[in-house]
Amino acid sequence: MPDLVTAGRALAAESARYAGLGWMRGTSGNLSVTLGRDPLRLAVTASGLDKGELTAHDVVEVDAAGEALPGQRLRPSAEAGLHARIAAVAGAGAVVHLHMLAPVIAAERWPDGIELSDLEMLKGFGRAAHDDRVLIPVVPNSQDMKVLGDAFEVGYDPATPALVVARHGVYVWGDDLLTARHRAECLEWLLRFKTTIPGGTP
């Protein structure tokens, strides 16, 4: 497991990458890395900062409830509690919360879940390209992370490392930041395809 500064350096680099793609506009979005599991500890990007300009020190260590450990100068993202819930339930080593447009549009069209199948890019999302039905869960938006966390758990499928929050954004996770990045990039392509083609199929 990385220490806080090492995690902060990696989180700053990933944040700059996503900001450059337009997926963390302004101060929106947040990323986390799991620092330890017993007890659960995460490094989470700090609240209210431009995600394209973070440094290795612009992170906050939080507990299993997403609360900052004592003695830190910055506040964690308001969504740190959901990051911690995903890390606990899914065993994620990293979680990325991004504000891509395609997942939000897809959630408007398919509020009960976004079905994908028979697309080669599904391999990059950790699934089979053919004969594999993938359902990306969609949950209503809430400012209460316990409400969102409970909704996440209800629809959680270990084979589907993503969650769309309606009219908000997407959470994608993996064993590490690189895996989470690759999955997020592939999911964005998949959902952009689905929302672009006539009829929205497959």
Side-chain angles (χ1 to χ4, degrees):
M1 296 287 183
D3 59 42
L4 187 60
V5 174
T6 301
R9 190 176 300 115
L11 289 168
E14 288 298 288
S15 293
R17 179 188 184 92
Y18 291 131
L21 290 168
W23 296 351
M24 297 182 85
R25 295 176 185 273
T27 64
S28 70
N30 33 77
L31 313 180
S32 68
V33 168
T34 300
L35 299 173
R37 296 212 171 268
D38 190 21
L40 184 64
R41 294 288 185 264
L42 276 69
V44 182
T45 50
S47 177
L49 301 180
D50 187 320
K51 298 309 188 297
E53 299 180 357
L54 298 184
T55 74
H57 302 286
D58 292 328
V59 293
V60 184
E61 186 171 355
V62 303
D63 61 18
E67 298 293 330
L69 271 60
Q72 300 182 86
R73 65 182 179 87
L74 297 172
R75 290 183 299 112
S77 162
E79 288 137 336
L82 185 52
H83 282 254
R85 190 80 165 265
I86 292 170
V89 172
V95 180
V96 300
H97 171 45
L98 306 167
H99 288 241
M100 307 163 177
L101 187 56
V104 178
I105 294 172
E108 287 287 293
R109 296 187 186 175
W110 301 283
D112 296 324
I114 307 158
E115 186 173 340
L116 299 165
S117 63
D118 298 326
L119 289 162
E120 193 71 17
M121 193 66 80
L122 282 166
K123 290 180 179 178
F125 191 61
R127 300 292 294 266
H130 303 286
D131 300 321
D132 186 7
R133 175 181 174 271
V134 179
L135 186 69
I136 309 299
V138 176
V139 299
N141 194 19
S142 174
Q143 301 307 304
D144 186 326
M145 292 305 110
K146 184 179 186 308
V147 170
L148 281 181
D150 289 348
F152 152 69
E153 282 206 51
V154 167
Y156 173 61
D157 175 358
T160 305
L163 173 72
V164 178
V165 179
R167 299 200 168 196
H168 186 161
V170 65
Y171 289 79
V172 184
W173 54 90
D175 290 339
D176 50 39
L177 280 171
L178 185 61
T179 302
R181 179 211 296 173
H182 290 167
R183 289 174 174 174
E185 290 175 343
C186 291
L187 182 62
E188 192 273 343
W189 187 96
L190 289 161
L191 296 184
R192 184 148 40 112
F193 175 84
K194 186 171 179 70
T195 56
T196 300
I197 61 173
T201 56

